[in-house]
Amino acid sequence: MTRDHEAFVTYRAGRFNFRLFTSISRLKETVSQIYAPLDPDNIVDFEIAVQPQRWYRPQVTFKFQQTEPFLPLPANQAYPLLEWGMNWCVTQHCHQYLIIHAAVLEKNNKVIILPGSPGSGKSTLSAALCLLDGWNLLSDEMALVDTTSGLVFPSPRPISLKNASIDIVSQFPCAKQITPSVKDTTKGTVAHLVAPCHRSFSIDQGYPAVAVVFPTYTPTSTCNRLNPITVGNSFMRLIENSFNYHILRQVGFDALGQLANACGHYTYPNNGNFSESFALLNELIR
Amino acid sequence: MTKEICQFLQDPHCTSGWSPKRWSNLIQQGYANRSLAQIAELISQYQLMGSIPPDLHWHINAARTYHESHKHGVVQEIHALYRALGFAQITPILLKGAAYLAAGLNVGKGRVFSDIDAAVKREQLTPAEQSLHWHGWSNMNKDDYDQHYYRVWMHELPPFVNGASGGVLDLHHTIVPPISGRAPALRDFSTQQVEFKGLTLTTFTPAAMLLHSAVHLMFEEDFSKGFRDISDIHLLASEFTELDGFWSELIEQAQTTGFEREVGLALRYSQHFFATKIPTKYSTSFNKHLPSRLILWVYDILFTELLKPVDCLTTKSRIASYTALIRGHLKKMPLHVLLYHTWHKITVSRTKKEKE
Amino acid sequence: MSTLTTIDGELLIFNSQLNKTSLISAELNEVLNNLQEASEELDTETFNLAISELTKQGLVISTT
């Protein structure tokens, strides 16, 4: 007999297989709408649990095996908590890659990396590129750089939208799959957008990065321009944006060197004028 | 069905013919019990990578990468510790994880641990502490009560943190709290010298090492790493059994220090989970010191629960955990001290909450 | 210690002992190269020493 809390769903999210134990049926529903289900007997990379606790002011907890990396959150935040938890699983364990906090987009088999701290506008920009300009989303939160080849591997998952960007993106004509907004999280209001896939791309293939672009959302800026920076400068900034550079040590240095020396590097203060962004970024992949 | 992790640690060859699902289970259990890097080491030692489904290889490689980085940190910490204490002409004895690594033991291969444990003689504590302060370590617990708790009752000083690296050091002067009335002198444990990364380091001898590991386990009150602790016993015993005179030395050391029962129990549970091989002559000798049948029945229920491997769904039996918590504390301190300690902890946490 | 010259002429240095990465500007890197070429005695070891000295002096652009 299966006890309630042992109910699970096995699915593929990005490059990784998850087995989620949860008794929250709404969460299971959302997951099955967004991710491809797998046979329950499939091998898994991460066994995780999102479970409710307390009957007064109910909360949810996230667990990978016996580790609980986050404090419990209010019960309505189960789905964002799951997404953050899955990110945590990857960034803490997948040391076959150098992992950089960045969005990764592909067009014409060429990849640009958009590293960015929260508020940089990288998610909004990524959503616009995918929905309005035919880019493929290889990853929203992390660039997975293969340590032997320096190539970037896809791990597409929904784009995490915050606050004002939810309204902006929902107005895009082809923004069909957005999860309901969840208010009052630590990141404000959040919603997740499933990016469309324009051409089928192989998840098993690595792509060379042609540019690293550090966006900053600057509403007051009058014109959008890519400002070139040196490889060394960008290298040091990428280290700051990396989750496991310090663990990979020499291997991380070599992989980042391989990646950085093969592409252009820019800062990109922009005021959110997407058509100008499209023109500039398409230049990079010509 | 016995968990994959127990079977694997008992004999890695048992994996021949395993389905992908079983390998996948082993890896998840490795994560759950914090022993994936140890499993990874055994996989390479026994050349088993070829039998693992390719989609799972990265787990093994990534665990090794992580462990390499951990090991690098530990080596730096050991160097720093020796430099600092060398200043006061004190040679510390490395204990537990750091010692397993330095002595090149199987149990140390891939073992990830959070603190460096080292021991100095009681009379060396003050100069050792001063020297650590001069070299950038500071005490983590500033609270007066905690200071008192450690300095008067415990077998170790309040944890030190290395300001440069953030590494944590536990400095012991014996292996169990003196307030328990059972603390032997450090000199009762035989030591050996090992060469490690250009340093000559001191650790316990094999017999003393296993003794310490067993006592530590049986005095424990927090079993969140229970399975790792019992697998330590198994791996130590399996490696040391090859050494001439190991078992008789263990019996002798256990006698001198009065910990025959603890060693007997630890070996009993190691056999329960891993069928650890112990020559009959010696196991009979340890069995003589086990508690009476009734108590042993209770212990068996308690410890097989607390030491079992965990998985994503495991929430250890609350009763077992509470019993262990109380038992562990009672072994460490007499009842009146325990009551005082508990009362203090409760009132302090209450006033802290009120302040917040 | 391992080094990488970027296509912009800067020098990146990884110190495996300390697990630290440093960036030396293209201008300073050129000076160092000239020094190395001018003096045959300037072997790798001395060169590395010079770099760690420069790091201490704060002449390196940035260090992790």
Side-chain angles (χ1 to χ4, degrees), chain B residues 279-319:
Chain B
T280 326
K281 183 168 118 192
Y282 299 107
S283 61
T284 341
S285 158
F286 282 116
N287 286 344
K288 273 189 280 185
H289 296 279
L290 291 176
S292 68
R293 268 176 58 192
L294 181 66
I295 302 283
L296 194 59
W297 179 73
V298 176
Y299 272 19
D300 284 352
I301 294 172
L302 189 63
F303 282 107
T304 50
E305 170 69 18
L306 292 167
L307 302 177
K308 73 180 186 193
V310 290
D311 61 34
C312 197
L313 297 174
T314 309
T315 37
K316 277 189 180 156
S317 143
R318 284 232 175 127
I319 294 177

Side-chain angles (χ1 to χ4, degrees), chain A residues 44-45 47 65-66 96 249, chain B residues 24 28 59 72 311-312:
Chain A
V44 291
D45 295 308
E47 274 180 4
Q65 296 297 353
Q66 290 286 302
Q96 71 273 39
R249 307 165 52 77
Chain B
S24 175
Q28 293 307 308
H59 290 278
H72 183 266
D311 61 34
C312 197

Side-chain angles (χ1 to χ4, degrees), chain B residues 150-191:
Chain B
Y150 278 105
R151 286 173 197 277
V152 180
W153 295 332
M154 288 293 113
H155 51 302
E156 58 192 339
L157 292 182
F160 292 87
V161 63
N162 182 341
S165 63
V168 176
L169 166 73
D170 288 331
L171 195 64
H172 304 243
H173 57 86
T174 179
I175 66 161
V176 294
I179 187 100
S180 70
R182 295 190 58 192
L186 200 55
R187 61 171 179 280
D188 291 341
F189 294 84
S190 47
T191 58

Side-chain angles (χ1 to χ4, degrees), chain C residues 23-46:
Chain C
L23 169 66
I24 287 177
S25 70
E27 295 78 9
L28 188 56
N29 189 27
E30 204 181 325
V31 175
L32 287 170
N33 283 331
N34 291 344
L35 263 176
Q36 199 167 23
E37 271 169 35
S39 150
E40 280 171 16
E41 290 114 74
L42 196 65
D43 53 20
T44 324
E45 206 177 314
T46 326

Side-chain angles (χ1 to χ4, degrees), chain A residues 107-225:
Chain A
K107 201 174 181 181
N108 303 345
N109 273 321
K110 287 174 183 167
V111 153
I112 61 168
I113 296 176
L114 304 174
S117 28
S120 64
K122 96 182 138 71
S123 293
T124 323
L125 183 56
S126 309
L129 287 164
C130 292
L131 293 173
L132 307 175
D133 198 43
W135 294 69
N136 273 325
L137 179 81
L138 298 198
S139 178
D140 171 48
E141 289 282 4
M142 52 192 115
L144 303 177
V145 183
D146 181 57
T147 50
T148 43
S149 62
L151 298 176
V152 184
F153 276 78
S155 189
R157 288 192 12 219
I159 299 179
S160 148
L161 299 169
K162 280 147 240 145
N163 305 318
S165 81
I166 300 173
D167 295 331
I168 299 173
V169 173
S170 347
Q171 281 156 22
F172 293 162
C174 36
K176 295 204 177 67
Q177 260 192 296
I178 299 188
T179 59
S181 293
V182 179
K183 294 196 176 73
D184 301 323
T185 77
T186 48
K187 302 181 184 183
T189 303
V190 297
H192 286 80
L193 163 83
V194 181
C197 182
H198 300 289
R199 297 161 307 282
S200 62
F201 58 91
S202 166
I203 204 164
D204 298 318
Q205 184 196 333
Y207 295 82
V210 294
V212 177
V213 178
F214 294 89
T216 40
Y217 178 57
T218 326
T220 51
S221 118
T222 45
C223 79
N224 291 335
R225 206 155 50 93

Side-chain angles (χ1 to χ4, degrees), chain A residues 229-233 235-236 239 245-247 249-251 253-254 256-258 260-263 265, chain C residues 1-8 10 12-23 62-64:
Chain A
I229 56 171
T230 66
V231 172
N233 233 310
F235 191 104
M236 300 308 276
I239 293 176
Y245 178 83
H246 63 289
I247 289 168
R249 307 165 52 77
Q250 180 77 53
V251 170
F253 180 77
D254 293 341
L256 195 53
Q258 222 173 336
N261 244 346
C263 57
H265 302 267
Chain C
M1 193 110 94
S2 84
T3 58
L4 173 80
T5 308
T6 72
I7 45 174
D8 293 320
E10 305 145 296
L12 285 158
I13 303 159
F14 177 67
N15 181 329
S16 60
Q17 199 68 35
L18 303 173
N19 197 10
K20 270 185 186 301
T21 311
S22 308
L23 169 66
S62 59
T63 300
T64 52

